[in-house]
Amino acid sequence: MSNAPVIHIDPVAFAADPYPDLARMRREAPVAFVPELSATLFTRRDDIFVQEKRVSTFSSRQPHGLMTRLMGENLMRKDGDAHIRERKILFPALSPRTTRDTWLAPIRAATESILKSLKPKGKCDLVRDFAMPVSAEALKLVTGLTNMSAAEMDRVSQGMIDGCANYAGDAKIEANCNDCTASIDRHIDEMIPQLEAKPNSSALSVQLASNLDMAATRANIKLIISGGQNEPRDVIAGAAWALLTHPAQLHLVQQNKASWGDVFSEYARWMSPIGMSPREVAQNDEVCGVSFEQGDRVFFMFSSAGHDEAHFETPERFDITRNTGPSIPFGAGPHFCGGAAVARALITEVALPLLFHELPNLHLTGEVPFQGWAFRGPTKMPVAW
C-alpha cells in the first residue's frame, strides 16, 4: 500500500455527506490513505487533473476490480489503443451530432408524454415519477434496449452501481448485481436479431456492425447503463431541488439572465453525480510526495475537485453565475465520460426546461435526502404544483 498519511472516515457518514471529510483531506492530507475504503484518495483538483492522465502509473485496467469482475471488461477498464478503438466504435451513438439529429426528438416526445400523465395528479416523487423514467426512456434509445421497461432500466443500473461500490463485500449486494447483469444480457440477446436486420444508431447496433467481440459489446452496454441511467436521473432531480431551494437562481434562468447549461454545469460541480474514478497502480512510482506500489488502489475524487478552495470561492454555495471552467465532474483525461453530450442535452434542452414550464408553481412538500459518495443523488423528492 502507499505510504500516504492515513485519514479515517465513518463510512455511513461519508455516504450521507462526503464533503466535510473531503474538505479535511484537502486541508490536512490531499493525498490520503483511507483504510475504510482500502484506497488512496486524491482530493485536490490540480493533482487529479494531472495524475488522471498518467495511465502508465494510474491504470484503468483492473482485471480483479469490482467493475471488471461483475460487469466484464468495458472500455473504461482499458487504456491506450484498446480504449481508443472501442471509444471510436461507440462515438457514432453518443456524439453531439447524433444526439441532436437522432435522439433529441424522441427523448422530447417521451418526456412530454411522462409530463402529460403526471400533470393532472398535482404531486409526485420527482425522482421516481419523473427523473427516473425520463432518464430511462432516453437510455433505452441510446443503448438499443428498447425492449426493456423504464423501471427495469433503473433497477439494473442501480444494482450495478451498488455492486461496483460494494467495497465492504456484502454478498446480497453482489448477488443482486449479478441478477441485474443477467437481465441485461437477456435483453441484449433479444435485441440482436432485430438490430442485425434493421441497424440503427444505438450503442448496441454500432458495436454489432463493427464486429466487436460480444464480451466487450455486452460489457460496454452495461457500462453505459450503469452511468447513463443514474447520473442523468440524479442531476435532473438534484438540479430541480437546487433551484427550488435557491429561488433567486431559478429566477435568473426564468428571466434569461442565466441558462439551463449554467444550471447543469454548476450542479455537476457542486453535487458531483460521479464522485470518483478508481485506478490501479501499474508500476511503483512517487507522486505528490507519496510512494505508490504496484497494485495499490487509487480514487481520483472528482467531487472533491469541484470543491477545491484553490479554484472555487465558497465552493459549498450553489451559484449558477460562477465560472465552472476548472470543474472536472466527468473527468479530464482520456476516460472523460463518453455520454456527457447526451446527458447534457437531455437535461438542459429537454428535462429541466419542460419540467418547469409544464408544472407551474412546482414546489417541495417534504425532505429530500441525498445518498452516496462514489455516485450521489437524491433518493426521493416529494413535490407538488
Side-chain angles (χ1 to χ4, degrees), residues 53-319:
K53 301 179 179 71
R54 297 184 62 245
V55 295
S56 59
T57 292
F58 299 114
S59 175
S60 294
R61 272 206 87 239
Q62 297 164 36
H64 306 295
L66 283 172
M67 178 177 280
T68 303
R69 183 162 58 83
L70 295 170
M71 294 165 53
E73 190 176 38
N74 59 60
L75 69 92
M76 291 299 287
R77 289 295 170 264
K78 298 175 183 177
D79 289 318
D81 291 342
H83 171 80
I84 293 170
R85 174 175 177 260
E86 292 181 27
R87 200 175 183 99
K88 285 181 177 178
I89 288 171
L90 278 166
F91 183 73
L94 305 172
S95 74
R97 175 175 291 183
T98 303
T99 301
R100 181 194 66 207
D101 296 343
T102 304
W103 304 134
L104 269 187
I107 288 172
R108 177 177 291 274
T111 303
E112 289 172 343
S113 177
I114 291 165
L115 283 167
K116 184 178 180 180
S117 297
L118 275 180
K119 195 169 184 178
K121 298 178 180 179
K123 64 180 181 178
C124 75
D125 177 341
L126 200 69
V127 176
R128 182 194 64 210
D129 300 325
F130 179 71
M132 183 278 279
V134 166
S135 182
E137 291 299 333
L139 192 57
K140 287 165 59 177
L141 292 166
V142 173
T143 59
L145 299 187
T146 52
N147 57 337
M148 185 178 283
S149 70
E152 181 66 357
M153 184 68 79
D154 193 69
R155 184 187 80 87
V156 299
S157 174
Q158 192 62 54
M160 290 190 295
I161 288 166
D162 293 342
C164 291
N166 185 28
Y167 294 105
D170 187 308
K172 290 183 179 179
I173 292 175
E174 181 169 341
N176 181 60
C177 181
N178 289 334
D179 179 73
C180 291
T181 58
S183 173
I184 295 169
D185 283 328
R186 289 193 298 271
H187 285 84
I188 289 174
D189 290 340
E190 188 176 287
M191 288 304 302
I192 287 174
Q194 299 181 44
L195 292 173
E196 287 180 335
K198 191 176 180 180
N200 59 24
S201 297
S202 70
L204 180 54
S205 187
V206 298
Q207 289 183 106
L208 292 172
S210 75
N211 294 317
L212 183 67
D213 69 86
M214 280 307 302
T217 295
R218 293 176 187 277
N220 287 335
I221 293 296
K222 291 166 188 171
L223 169 68
I224 294 170
I225 292 173
S226 71
Q229 171 62 13
N230 75 296
E231 290 154 19
R233 177 199 69 199
D234 292 347
V235 175
I236 291 167
W241 167 80
L243 291 170
L244 292 175
T245 54
H246 298 78
Q249 304 282 303
L250 176 59
H251 186 70
L252 290 175
V253 179
Q254 293 171 330
Q255 296 297 311
N256 294 317
K257 295 179 180 178
S259 70
W260 294 111
D262 295 329
V263 174
F264 175 85
S265 296
E266 171 63 355
Y267 182 80
R269 175 208 69 82
W270 182 58
M271 196 74 70
S272 184
I274 309 172
M276 64 87 168
S277 178
R279 299 294 175 88
E280 185 173 301
V281 175
Q283 60 184 8
N284 293 358
D285 201 351
E286 183 170 324
V287 178
C288 299
V290 173
S291 295
F292 290 90
E293 296 180 356
Q294 184 178 0
D296 285 349
R297 180 190 293 162
V298 167
F299 295 161
F300 291 126
M301 302 301 297
F302 299 147
S303 53
S304 182
H307 280 234
D308 192 332
E309 296 80 0
H311 291 275
F312 304 104
E313 186 176 352
T314 58
E316 70 285 352
R317 183 165 59 92
F318 178 72
D319 179 5

